[in-house]
Amino acid sequence: MNKKDGTPFKTSGSLVTCKGITSGIRGMKHGVLRPTLVLLDDLQDIESASNPTQVQKIMDIINKDVMPLAGEERLSVL
């Protein structure tokens, strides 16, 4: 977002990005920076919550794609 004159607003260095759980978040970076906080919300609807296969698919995405976003050196801390 820019000011009326086209220059960007100054920030505190924070970057906020929204992604869907199935939108290819594996390896997400901004330049060389990896996320330091991930918030997960509304991962299931009523239908997927009652389907064990769908529940396992979401758990696999969390474990294989979301958790490693911190990087290998920080994964053991999580």
Short mmCIF file of all heavy atoms in Angstrom, two decimals:
data_model
loop_
_atom_site.label_atom_id
_atom_site.label_comp_id
_atom_site.label_asym_id
_atom_site.label_seq_id
_atom_site.Cartn_x
_atom_site.Cartn_y
_atom_site.Cartn_z
N MET A 1 0.85 -1.17 0.00
CA MET A 1 0.00 0.00 0.00
C MET A 1 0.89 1.24 0.00
O MET A 1 1.90 1.29 0.68
CB MET A 1 -0.91 -0.03 1.22
CG MET A 1 -1.90 1.08 1.26
SD MET A 1 -3.04 0.90 2.63
CE MET A 1 -4.49 0.49 1.73
N ASN A 2 0.51 2.22 -0.76
CA ASN A 2 1.32 3.43 -0.90
C ASN A 2 0.54 4.67 -0.47
O ASN A 2 -0.69 4.68 -0.45
CB ASN A 2 1.76 3.62 -2.35
CG ASN A 2 2.71 2.53 -2.80
OD1 ASN A 2 3.44 1.99 -2.00
ND2 ASN A 2 2.68 2.22 -4.06
N LYS A 3 1.30 5.72 -0.15
CA LYS A 3 0.71 7.02 0.14
C LYS A 3 0.17 7.61 -1.16
O LYS A 3 0.44 7.11 -2.25
CB LYS A 3 1.76 7.96 0.73
CG LYS A 3 2.34 7.49 2.03
CD LYS A 3 3.40 8.47 2.50
CE LYS A 3 4.14 7.96 3.70
NZ LYS A 3 5.21 8.88 4.11
N LYS A 4 -0.54 8.69 -1.06
CA LYS A 4 -1.11 9.33 -2.25
C LYS A 4 -0.04 9.74 -3.25
O LYS A 4 -0.26 9.74 -4.45
CB LYS A 4 -1.94 10.55 -1.86
CG LYS A 4 -3.24 10.20 -1.18
CD LYS A 4 -4.04 11.44 -0.85
CE LYS A 4 -5.32 11.06 -0.13
NZ LYS A 4 -6.12 12.22 0.21
N ASP A 5 1.17 10.06 -2.76
CA ASP A 5 2.25 10.47 -3.67
C ASP A 5 3.00 9.27 -4.26
O ASP A 5 3.96 9.43 -5.01
CB ASP A 5 3.23 11.42 -2.97
CG ASP A 5 4.01 10.76 -1.84
OD1 ASP A 5 3.81 9.55 -1.59
OD2 ASP A 5 4.82 11.46 -1.21
N GLY A 6 2.56 8.04 -3.90
CA GLY A 6 3.16 6.84 -4.47
C GLY A 6 4.27 6.22 -3.64
O GLY A 6 4.74 5.13 -3.95
N THR A 7 4.71 6.90 -2.58
CA THR A 7 5.77 6.33 -1.75
C THR A 7 5.16 5.35 -0.76
O THR A 7 4.05 5.55 -0.28
CB THR A 7 6.55 7.42 -0.98
OG1 THR A 7 5.63 8.15 -0.15
CG2 THR A 7 7.24 8.38 -1.93
N PRO A 8 5.88 4.28 -0.45
CA PRO A 8 5.32 3.29 0.49
C PRO A 8 5.30 3.81 1.92
O PRO A 8 6.10 4.66 2.29
CB PRO A 8 6.27 2.11 0.36
CG PRO A 8 7.52 2.65 -0.22
CD PRO A 8 7.17 3.88 -0.99
N PHE A 9 4.35 3.32 2.69
CA PHE A 9 4.30 3.64 4.12
C PHE A 9 5.49 2.99 4.81
O PHE A 9 5.92 1.90 4.45
CB PHE A 9 3.01 3.10 4.75
CG PHE A 9 1.78 3.87 4.36
CD1 PHE A 9 0.87 3.33 3.47
CD2 PHE A 9 1.53 5.12 4.90
CE1 PHE A 9 -0.28 4.02 3.12
CE2 PHE A 9 0.39 5.82 4.55
CZ PHE A 9 -0.51 5.27 3.65
N LYS A 10 6.04 3.65 5.83
CA LYS A 10 7.09 3.06 6.63
C LYS A 10 6.47 2.00 7.53
O LYS A 10 5.36 2.14 8.00
CB LYS A 10 7.80 4.13 7.46
CG LYS A 10 8.60 5.09 6.62
CD LYS A 10 9.32 6.08 7.49
CE LYS A 10 10.12 7.04 6.61
NZ LYS A 10 10.90 7.98 7.40
N THR A 11 7.22 0.93 7.77
CA THR A 11 6.74 -0.14 8.65
C THR A 11 7.78 -0.42 9.73
O THR A 11 8.90 0.07 9.67
CB THR A 11 6.50 -1.45 7.87
OG1 THR A 11 7.76 -1.96 7.44
CG2 THR A 11 5.60 -1.22 6.67
N SER A 12 7.40 -1.26 10.65
CA SER A 12 8.33 -1.66 11.71
C SER A 12 9.18 -2.84 11.26
O SER A 12 9.91 -3.41 12.05
CB SER A 12 7.54 -2.05 12.95
OG SER A 12 6.74 -3.18 12.67
N GLY A 13 9.08 -3.21 10.01
CA GLY A 13 9.82 -4.36 9.51
C GLY A 13 8.99 -5.63 9.50
O GLY A 13 9.47 -6.69 9.13
N SER A 14 7.74 -5.53 9.90
CA SER A 14 6.86 -6.69 9.92
C SER A 14 6.26 -6.91 8.54
O SER A 14 6.04 -5.98 7.78
CB SER A 14 5.72 -6.49 10.92
OG SER A 14 6.25 -6.36 12.21
N LEU A 15 5.99 -8.16 8.25
CA LEU A 15 5.34 -8.53 7.00
C LEU A 15 4.24 -9.51 7.34
O LEU A 15 4.48 -10.50 8.03
CB LEU A 15 6.35 -9.18 6.06
CG LEU A 15 5.79 -9.72 4.76
CD1 LEU A 15 5.34 -8.58 3.86
CD2 LEU A 15 6.82 -10.56 4.05
N VAL A 16 3.03 -9.24 6.88
CA VAL A 16 1.89 -10.11 7.12
C VAL A 16 1.44 -10.68 5.79
O VAL A 16 1.25 -9.95 4.83
CB VAL A 16 0.73 -9.35 7.80
CG1 VAL A 16 -0.48 -10.25 7.97
CG2 VAL A 16 1.17 -8.77 9.12
N THR A 17 1.30 -12.00 5.75
CA THR A 17 0.85 -12.67 4.54
C THR A 17 -0.25 -13.65 4.91
O THR A 17 -0.15 -14.34 5.93
CB THR A 17 2.02 -13.46 3.89
OG1 THR A 17 3.06 -12.55 3.59
CG2 THR A 17 1.58 -14.14 2.62
N CYS A 18 -1.28 -13.71 4.11
CA CYS A 18 -2.37 -14.66 4.33
C CYS A 18 -2.33 -15.73 3.24
O CYS A 18 -2.17 -15.40 2.07
CB CYS A 18 -3.72 -13.95 4.29
SG CYS A 18 -3.88 -12.70 5.56
N LYS A 19 -2.45 -16.97 3.64
CA LYS A 19 -2.43 -18.09 2.70
C LYS A 19 -3.45 -19.12 3.14
O LYS A 19 -3.67 -19.32 4.32
CB LYS A 19 -1.05 -18.78 2.70
CG LYS A 19 0.09 -17.94 2.24
CD LYS A 19 0.21 -18.07 0.77
CE LYS A 19 1.52 -17.45 0.30
NZ LYS A 19 1.72 -17.64 -1.10
N GLY A 20 -4.04 -19.80 2.18
CA GLY A 20 -4.89 -20.93 2.48
C GLY A 20 -4.03 -22.14 2.82
O GLY A 20 -2.89 -22.23 2.38
N ILE A 21 -4.58 -23.08 3.57
CA ILE A 21 -3.81 -24.23 4.04
C ILE A 21 -3.32 -25.09 2.88
O ILE A 21 -2.29 -25.75 2.96
CB ILE A 21 -4.62 -25.07 5.06
CG1 ILE A 21 -3.76 -26.14 5.73
CG2 ILE A 21 -5.84 -25.70 4.40
CD1 ILE A 21 -2.76 -25.61 6.69
N THR A 22 -4.00 -25.07 1.74
CA THR A 22 -3.59 -25.88 0.59
C THR A 22 -2.98 -25.03 -0.52
O THR A 22 -2.89 -25.47 -1.66
CB THR A 22 -4.79 -26.67 0.03
OG1 THR A 22 -5.81 -25.76 -0.37
CG2 THR A 22 -5.33 -27.65 1.05
N SER A 23 -2.52 -23.84 -0.19
CA SER A 23 -2.06 -22.91 -1.23
C SER A 23 -0.56 -22.95 -1.49
O SER A 23 0.00 -22.01 -2.04
CB SER A 23 -2.47 -21.49 -0.86
OG SER A 23 -1.77 -21.08 0.29
N GLY A 24 0.10 -24.01 -1.12
CA GLY A 24 1.53 -24.11 -1.40
C GLY A 24 2.38 -23.25 -0.49
O GLY A 24 3.15 -22.42 -0.95
N ILE A 25 2.27 -23.45 0.81
CA ILE A 25 3.03 -22.64 1.76
C ILE A 25 4.40 -23.22 2.07
O ILE A 25 5.21 -22.57 2.71
CB ILE A 25 2.25 -22.45 3.08
CG1 ILE A 25 1.91 -23.78 3.72
CG2 ILE A 25 1.01 -21.64 2.85
CD1 ILE A 25 1.21 -23.66 5.05
N ARG A 26 4.67 -24.43 1.60
CA ARG A 26 5.96 -25.07 1.87
C ARG A 26 7.10 -24.19 1.35
O ARG A 26 7.07 -23.70 0.23
CB ARG A 26 6.03 -26.42 1.18
CG ARG A 26 7.36 -27.13 1.41
CD ARG A 26 7.39 -28.44 0.70
NE ARG A 26 6.44 -29.34 1.33
CZ ARG A 26 6.63 -30.63 1.47
NH1 ARG A 26 7.71 -31.19 1.00
NH2 ARG A 26 5.73 -31.38 2.06
N GLY A 27 8.09 -23.95 2.20
CA GLY A 27 9.26 -23.18 1.81
C GLY A 27 9.03 -21.69 1.69
O GLY A 27 9.85 -20.97 1.13
N MET A 28 7.92 -21.18 2.23
CA MET A 28 7.61 -19.76 2.11
C MET A 28 8.70 -18.91 2.77
O MET A 28 9.12 -19.15 3.89
CB MET A 28 6.26 -19.47 2.77
CG MET A 28 5.77 -18.07 2.52
SD MET A 28 4.04 -17.83 3.01
CE MET A 28 4.14 -18.03 4.76
N LYS A 29 9.17 -17.92 2.03
CA LYS A 29 10.16 -16.96 2.52
C LYS A 29 9.89 -15.61 1.88
O LYS A 29 9.26 -15.51 0.85
CB LYS A 29 11.58 -17.38 2.14
CG LYS A 29 12.09 -18.61 2.81
CD LYS A 29 13.57 -18.81 2.60
CE LYS A 29 13.85 -19.36 1.23
NZ LYS A 29 15.28 -19.65 1.03
N HIS A 30 10.38 -14.57 2.51
CA HIS A 30 10.39 -13.23 1.92
C HIS A 30 11.85 -12.83 1.87
O HIS A 30 12.45 -12.50 2.90
CB HIS A 30 9.57 -12.25 2.76
CG HIS A 30 9.51 -10.88 2.17
ND1 HIS A 30 8.76 -10.60 1.05
CD2 HIS A 30 10.12 -9.74 2.51
CE1 HIS A 30 8.91 -9.33 0.75
NE2 HIS A 30 9.74 -8.78 1.62
N GLY A 31 12.44 -12.91 0.68
CA GLY A 31 13.88 -12.74 0.58
C GLY A 31 14.54 -13.91 1.26
O GLY A 31 14.30 -15.05 0.92
N VAL A 32 15.33 -13.63 2.27
CA VAL A 32 15.97 -14.71 3.03
C VAL A 32 15.27 -14.95 4.37
O VAL A 32 15.68 -15.81 5.14
CB VAL A 32 17.47 -14.41 3.29
CG1 VAL A 32 18.23 -14.35 1.99
CG2 VAL A 32 17.64 -13.13 4.08
N LEU A 33 14.22 -14.21 4.65
CA LEU A 33 13.53 -14.31 5.94
C LEU A 33 12.43 -15.36 5.90
O LEU A 33 11.64 -15.42 4.97
CB LEU A 33 12.92 -12.95 6.32
CG LEU A 33 13.90 -11.79 6.43
CD1 LEU A 33 13.15 -10.50 6.71
CD2 LEU A 33 14.93 -12.07 7.51
N ARG A 34 12.38 -16.15 6.95
CA ARG A 34 11.33 -17.15 7.13
C ARG A 34 10.32 -16.63 8.15
O ARG A 34 10.65 -15.79 8.98
CB ARG A 34 11.92 -18.46 7.62
CG ARG A 34 12.79 -19.14 6.61
CD ARG A 34 13.24 -20.49 7.16
NE ARG A 34 13.80 -21.31 6.12
CZ ARG A 34 13.10 -22.08 5.30
NH1 ARG A 34 11.79 -22.12 5.40
NH2 ARG A 34 13.68 -22.79 4.37
N PRO A 35 9.09 -17.14 8.12
CA PRO A 35 8.10 -16.70 9.10
C PRO A 35 8.55 -17.00 10.53
O PRO A 35 9.18 -18.01 10.80
CB PRO A 35 6.87 -17.56 8.76
CG PRO A 35 7.07 -17.99 7.35
CD PRO A 35 8.55 -18.10 7.17
N THR A 36 8.21 -16.09 11.44
CA THR A 36 8.49 -16.32 12.85
C THR A 36 7.21 -16.60 13.63
O THR A 36 7.26 -16.97 14.79
CB THR A 36 9.20 -15.11 13.47
OG1 THR A 36 8.40 -13.95 13.27
CG2 THR A 36 10.57 -14.91 12.86
N LEU A 37 6.08 -16.41 12.98
CA LEU A 37 4.79 -16.69 13.61
C LEU A 37 3.82 -17.14 12.54
O LEU A 37 3.72 -16.52 11.47
CB LEU A 37 4.25 -15.42 14.30
CG LEU A 37 2.85 -15.52 14.90
CD1 LEU A 37 2.85 -16.48 16.09
CD2 LEU A 37 2.35 -14.15 15.31
N VAL A 38 3.13 -18.23 12.81
CA VAL A 38 2.10 -18.73 11.90
C VAL A 38 0.83 -18.92 12.72
O VAL A 38 0.85 -19.57 13.76
CB VAL A 38 2.50 -20.08 11.25
CG1 VAL A 38 1.37 -20.63 10.42
CG2 VAL A 38 3.75 -19.91 10.41
N LEU A 39 -0.25 -18.33 12.27
CA LEU A 39 -1.55 -18.50 12.92
C LEU A 39 -2.43 -19.34 12.00
O LEU A 39 -2.59 -19.00 10.81
CB LEU A 39 -2.22 -17.14 13.17
CG LEU A 39 -1.44 -16.17 14.03
CD1 LEU A 39 -2.14 -14.82 14.08
CD2 LEU A 39 -1.27 -16.71 15.43
N LEU A 40 -3.00 -20.38 12.52
CA LEU A 40 -3.88 -21.25 11.75
C LEU A 40 -5.30 -21.07 12.25
O LEU A 40 -5.56 -21.12 13.45
CB LEU A 40 -3.45 -22.71 11.92
CG LEU A 40 -2.00 -23.02 11.56
CD1 LEU A 40 -1.66 -24.46 11.93
CD2 LEU A 40 -1.75 -22.77 10.09
N ASP A 41 -6.23 -20.88 11.33
CA ASP A 41 -7.62 -20.62 11.71
C ASP A 41 -8.55 -21.25 10.68
O ASP A 41 -8.27 -21.23 9.48
CB ASP A 41 -7.85 -19.12 11.80
CG ASP A 41 -9.23 -18.77 12.33
OD1 ASP A 41 -9.75 -19.50 13.19
OD2 ASP A 41 -9.78 -17.75 11.89
N ASP A 42 -9.65 -21.80 11.14
CA ASP A 42 -10.68 -22.38 10.27
C ASP A 42 -10.11 -23.36 9.26
O ASP A 42 -10.31 -23.22 8.05
CB ASP A 42 -11.46 -21.28 9.55
CG ASP A 42 -12.35 -20.48 10.49
OD1 ASP A 42 -12.72 -21.04 11.54
OD2 ASP A 42 -12.65 -19.33 10.18
N LEU A 43 -9.40 -24.36 9.73
CA LEU A 43 -8.79 -25.33 8.84
C LEU A 43 -9.77 -26.37 8.33
O LEU A 43 -9.50 -27.04 7.35
CB LEU A 43 -7.64 -26.04 9.57
CG LEU A 43 -6.52 -25.13 10.04
CD1 LEU A 43 -5.48 -25.94 10.78
CD2 LEU A 43 -5.91 -24.38 8.88
N GLN A 44 -10.90 -26.51 9.00
CA GLN A 44 -11.87 -27.52 8.61
C GLN A 44 -13.26 -26.93 8.53
O GLN A 44 -13.61 -26.00 9.25
CB GLN A 44 -11.91 -28.65 9.64
CG GLN A 44 -10.61 -29.38 9.81
CD GLN A 44 -10.71 -30.38 10.93
OE1 GLN A 44 -11.20 -30.08 12.01
NE2 GLN A 44 -10.25 -31.60 10.68
N ASP A 45 -14.06 -27.54 7.64
CA ASP A 45 -15.49 -27.28 7.67
C ASP A 45 -16.15 -28.50 8.30
O ASP A 45 -15.48 -29.47 8.68
CB ASP A 45 -16.04 -26.97 6.28
CG ASP A 45 -15.76 -28.07 5.27
OD1 ASP A 45 -15.53 -29.23 5.68
OD2 ASP A 45 -15.77 -27.78 4.07
N ILE A 46 -17.45 -28.50 8.43
CA ILE A 46 -18.15 -29.61 9.10
C ILE A 46 -17.89 -30.93 8.38
O ILE A 46 -17.65 -31.96 9.01
CB ILE A 46 -19.66 -29.31 9.19
CG1 ILE A 46 -19.89 -28.15 10.16
CG2 ILE A 46 -20.43 -30.54 9.63
CD1 ILE A 46 -21.31 -27.64 10.19
N GLU A 47 -17.92 -30.90 7.07
CA GLU A 47 -17.74 -32.12 6.29
C GLU A 47 -16.34 -32.71 6.46
O GLU A 47 -16.18 -33.90 6.71
CB GLU A 47 -18.01 -31.84 4.81
CG GLU A 47 -17.94 -33.07 3.94
CD GLU A 47 -18.27 -32.76 2.50
OE1 GLU A 47 -19.06 -31.85 2.24
OE2 GLU A 47 -17.70 -33.45 1.63
N SER A 48 -15.31 -31.86 6.35
CA SER A 48 -13.94 -32.38 6.46
C SER A 48 -13.61 -32.80 7.89
O SER A 48 -12.81 -33.72 8.09
CB SER A 48 -12.93 -31.35 5.95
OG SER A 48 -12.89 -30.22 6.78
N ALA A 49 -14.21 -32.18 8.87
CA ALA A 49 -13.95 -32.54 10.27
C ALA A 49 -14.48 -33.93 10.61
O ALA A 49 -13.95 -34.60 11.50
CB ALA A 49 -14.56 -31.51 11.21
N SER A 50 -15.50 -34.37 9.89
CA SER A 50 -16.07 -35.68 10.17
C SER A 50 -15.48 -36.78 9.29
O SER A 50 -15.87 -37.92 9.38
CB SER A 50 -17.60 -35.64 9.99
OG SER A 50 -17.91 -35.32 8.64
N ASN A 51 -14.51 -36.42 8.46
CA ASN A 51 -13.88 -37.38 7.56
C ASN A 51 -12.44 -37.63 8.01
O ASN A 51 -11.59 -36.76 7.88
CB ASN A 51 -13.92 -36.82 6.13
CG ASN A 51 -13.32 -37.75 5.12
OD1 ASN A 51 -12.38 -38.48 5.39
ND2 ASN A 51 -13.87 -37.71 3.92
N PRO A 52 -12.14 -38.82 8.55
CA PRO A 52 -10.79 -39.10 9.06
C PRO A 52 -9.69 -38.91 8.01
O PRO A 52 -8.59 -38.48 8.35
CB PRO A 52 -10.88 -40.56 9.50
CG PRO A 52 -12.32 -40.82 9.74
CD PRO A 52 -13.05 -39.94 8.78
N THR A 53 -9.99 -39.19 6.76
CA THR A 53 -8.99 -39.00 5.71
C THR A 53 -8.66 -37.52 5.54
O THR A 53 -7.49 -37.15 5.41
CB THR A 53 -9.50 -39.58 4.37
OG1 THR A 53 -9.80 -40.97 4.57
CG2 THR A 53 -8.48 -39.42 3.27
N GLN A 54 -9.68 -36.66 5.58
CA GLN A 54 -9.46 -35.21 5.45
C GLN A 54 -8.74 -34.66 6.67
O GLN A 54 -7.89 -33.78 6.56
CB GLN A 54 -10.79 -34.49 5.24
CG GLN A 54 -11.41 -34.74 3.89
CD GLN A 54 -10.54 -34.19 2.77
OE1 GLN A 54 -10.02 -33.08 2.86
NE2 GLN A 54 -10.37 -34.97 1.72
N VAL A 55 -9.08 -35.16 7.86
CA VAL A 55 -8.40 -34.73 9.08
C VAL A 55 -6.92 -35.07 8.98
O VAL A 55 -6.05 -34.25 9.28
CB VAL A 55 -9.03 -35.38 10.34
CG1 VAL A 55 -8.18 -35.11 11.57
CG2 VAL A 55 -10.46 -34.88 10.53
N GLN A 56 -6.60 -36.29 8.53
CA GLN A 56 -5.21 -36.70 8.40
C GLN A 56 -4.48 -35.87 7.35
O GLN A 56 -3.31 -35.51 7.53
CB GLN A 56 -5.10 -38.19 8.04
CG GLN A 56 -3.68 -38.69 8.07
CD GLN A 56 -3.02 -38.51 9.43
OE1 GLN A 56 -3.57 -38.90 10.45
NE2 GLN A 56 -1.85 -37.91 9.45
N LYS A 57 -5.16 -35.51 6.27
CA LYS A 57 -4.55 -34.68 5.22
C LYS A 57 -4.14 -33.31 5.80
O LYS A 57 -3.03 -32.83 5.55
CB LYS A 57 -5.52 -34.48 4.07
CG LYS A 57 -4.98 -33.63 2.95
CD LYS A 57 -5.99 -33.47 1.83
CE LYS A 57 -5.46 -32.54 0.77
NZ LYS A 57 -6.42 -32.31 -0.31
N ILE A 58 -5.00 -32.71 6.60
CA ILE A 58 -4.69 -31.41 7.20
C ILE A 58 -3.55 -31.55 8.21
O ILE A 58 -2.63 -30.72 8.24
CB ILE A 58 -5.94 -30.78 7.85
CG1 ILE A 58 -6.91 -30.37 6.74
CG2 ILE A 58 -5.58 -29.58 8.71
CD1 ILE A 58 -8.26 -29.90 7.21
N MET A 59 -3.56 -32.61 9.00
CA MET A 59 -2.47 -32.85 9.95
C MET A 59 -1.14 -33.04 9.22
O MET A 59 -0.11 -32.54 9.66
CB MET A 59 -2.77 -34.06 10.84
CG MET A 59 -3.92 -33.84 11.80
SD MET A 59 -3.69 -32.42 12.89
CE MET A 59 -2.22 -32.91 13.77
N ASP A 60 -1.16 -33.74 8.10
CA ASP A 60 0.05 -33.94 7.30
C ASP A 60 0.58 -32.61 6.77
O ASP A 60 1.78 -32.36 6.78
CB ASP A 60 -0.21 -34.89 6.13
CG ASP A 60 -0.38 -36.33 6.57
OD1 ASP A 60 -0.02 -36.65 7.73
OD2 ASP A 60 -0.89 -37.14 5.76
N ILE A 61 -0.31 -31.74 6.30
CA ILE A 61 0.10 -30.43 5.80
C ILE A 61 0.74 -29.62 6.93
O ILE A 61 1.79 -29.00 6.75
CB ILE A 61 -1.09 -29.67 5.18
CG1 ILE A 61 -1.53 -30.34 3.88
CG2 ILE A 61 -0.73 -28.20 4.94
CD1 ILE A 61 -2.83 -29.81 3.31
N ILE A 62 0.13 -29.65 8.11
CA ILE A 62 0.69 -28.92 9.24
C ILE A 62 2.08 -29.44 9.59
O ILE A 62 3.04 -28.67 9.74
CB ILE A 62 -0.24 -29.00 10.47
CG1 ILE A 62 -1.53 -28.21 10.19
CG2 ILE A 62 0.45 -28.48 11.73
CD1 ILE A 62 -2.63 -28.43 11.20
N ASN A 63 2.21 -30.76 9.69
CA ASN A 63 3.49 -31.35 10.10
C ASN A 63 4.57 -31.26 9.03
O ASN A 63 5.74 -31.09 9.35
CB ASN A 63 3.28 -32.81 10.50
CG ASN A 63 2.53 -32.93 11.80
OD1 ASN A 63 2.72 -32.15 12.72
ND2 ASN A 63 1.66 -33.91 11.89
N LYS A 64 4.21 -31.36 7.76
CA LYS A 64 5.21 -31.40 6.70
C LYS A 64 5.47 -30.06 6.04
O LYS A 64 6.53 -29.85 5.45
CB LYS A 64 4.79 -32.41 5.63
CG LYS A 64 4.76 -33.83 6.14
CD LYS A 64 4.23 -34.78 5.08
CE LYS A 64 4.14 -36.19 5.63
NZ LYS A 64 3.50 -37.11 4.68
N ASP A 65 4.50 -29.14 6.09
CA ASP A 65 4.64 -27.85 5.40
C ASP A 65 4.70 -26.66 6.34
O ASP A 65 5.52 -25.77 6.17
CB ASP A 65 3.49 -27.65 4.41
CG ASP A 65 3.48 -28.65 3.28
OD1 ASP A 65 4.51 -29.31 3.05
OD2 ASP A 65 2.44 -28.79 2.63
N VAL A 66 3.84 -26.62 7.35
CA VAL A 66 3.78 -25.46 8.24
C VAL A 66 4.90 -25.49 9.27
O VAL A 66 5.64 -24.51 9.43
CB VAL A 66 2.40 -25.36 8.94
CG1 VAL A 66 2.39 -24.21 9.93
CG2 VAL A 66 1.29 -25.20 7.92
N MET A 67 5.06 -26.60 9.98
CA MET A 67 6.08 -26.68 11.03
C MET A 67 7.49 -26.40 10.51
O MET A 67 8.24 -25.66 11.15
CB MET A 67 6.02 -28.03 11.73
CG MET A 67 4.72 -28.26 12.49
SD MET A 67 4.44 -27.07 13.81
CE MET A 67 5.66 -27.61 14.98
N PRO A 68 7.89 -26.91 9.36
CA PRO A 68 9.25 -26.64 8.86
C PRO A 68 9.49 -25.20 8.38
O PRO A 68 10.61 -24.86 8.05
CB PRO A 68 9.42 -27.62 7.70
CG PRO A 68 8.42 -28.69 7.95
CD PRO A 68 7.27 -28.00 8.61
N LEU A 69 8.45 -24.36 8.35
CA LEU A 69 8.64 -22.98 7.90
C LEU A 69 9.67 -22.25 8.76
O LEU A 69 10.32 -21.31 8.30
CB LEU A 69 7.33 -22.20 7.92
CG LEU A 69 6.35 -22.52 6.81
CD1 LEU A 69 5.03 -21.79 7.04
CD2 LEU A 69 6.91 -22.15 5.45
N ALA A 70 9.84 -22.66 9.99
CA ALA A 70 10.79 -22.02 10.90
C ALA A 70 12.24 -22.29 10.50
O ALA A 70 13.13 -21.60 10.94
CB ALA A 70 10.56 -22.49 12.33
N GLY A 71 12.46 -23.28 9.65
CA GLY A 71 13.80 -23.65 9.26
C GLY A 71 14.28 -24.84 10.08
O GLY A 71 13.83 -25.06 11.19
N GLU A 72 15.19 -25.59 9.51
CA GLU A 72 15.67 -26.81 10.16
C GLU A 72 16.28 -26.55 11.53
O GLU A 72 16.09 -27.32 12.46
CB GLU A 72 16.69 -27.52 9.27
CG GLU A 72 16.10 -28.12 8.01
CD GLU A 72 15.09 -29.23 8.32
OE1 GLU A 72 15.31 -30.00 9.26
OE2 GLU A 72 14.09 -29.31 7.59
N GLU A 73 17.01 -25.45 11.68
CA GLU A 73 17.69 -25.19 12.95
C GLU A 73 16.71 -24.85 14.06
O GLU A 73 17.04 -24.98 15.22
CB GLU A 73 18.73 -24.08 12.80
CG GLU A 73 18.17 -22.71 12.50
CD GLU A 73 17.79 -22.47 11.03
OE1 GLU A 73 18.03 -23.35 10.20
OE2 GLU A 73 17.27 -21.39 10.73
N ARG A 74 15.51 -24.42 13.74
CA ARG A 74 14.53 -24.05 14.76
C ARG A 74 13.43 -25.08 14.91
O ARG A 74 12.66 -25.01 15.84
CB ARG A 74 13.92 -22.69 14.42
CG ARG A 74 14.96 -21.58 14.56
CD ARG A 74 14.44 -20.23 14.20
NE ARG A 74 13.21 -19.93 14.87
CZ ARG A 74 12.38 -18.96 14.48
NH1 ARG A 74 12.67 -18.23 13.44
NH2 ARG A 74 11.28 -18.71 15.12
N LEU A 75 13.35 -26.05 14.02
CA LEU A 75 12.27 -27.02 14.05
C LEU A 75 12.25 -27.82 15.34
O LEU A 75 11.20 -28.10 15.89
CB LEU A 75 12.39 -27.97 12.84
CG LEU A 75 11.22 -28.93 12.62
CD1 LEU A 75 9.91 -28.17 12.49
CD2 LEU A 75 11.48 -29.77 11.39
N SER A 76 13.41 -28.14 15.89
CA SER A 76 13.46 -28.94 17.11
C SER A 76 12.97 -28.16 18.33
O SER A 76 12.61 -28.75 19.33
CB SER A 76 14.87 -29.46 17.36
OG SER A 76 15.76 -28.37 17.54
N VAL A 77 12.94 -26.83 18.23
CA VAL A 77 12.49 -26.00 19.35
C VAL A 77 10.97 -25.97 19.41
O VAL A 77 10.40 -25.81 20.47
CB VAL A 77 13.05 -24.56 19.19
CG1 VAL A 77 12.51 -23.66 20.29
CG2 VAL A 77 14.55 -24.59 19.19
N LEU A 78 10.33 -26.15 18.29
CA LEU A 78 8.87 -26.02 18.22
C LEU A 78 8.13 -27.14 18.87
O LEU A 78 8.38 -28.19 18.99
CB LEU A 78 8.43 -25.90 16.75
CG LEU A 78 9.02 -24.70 16.02
CD1 LEU A 78 8.62 -24.74 14.56
CD2 LEU A 78 8.55 -23.41 16.64
#
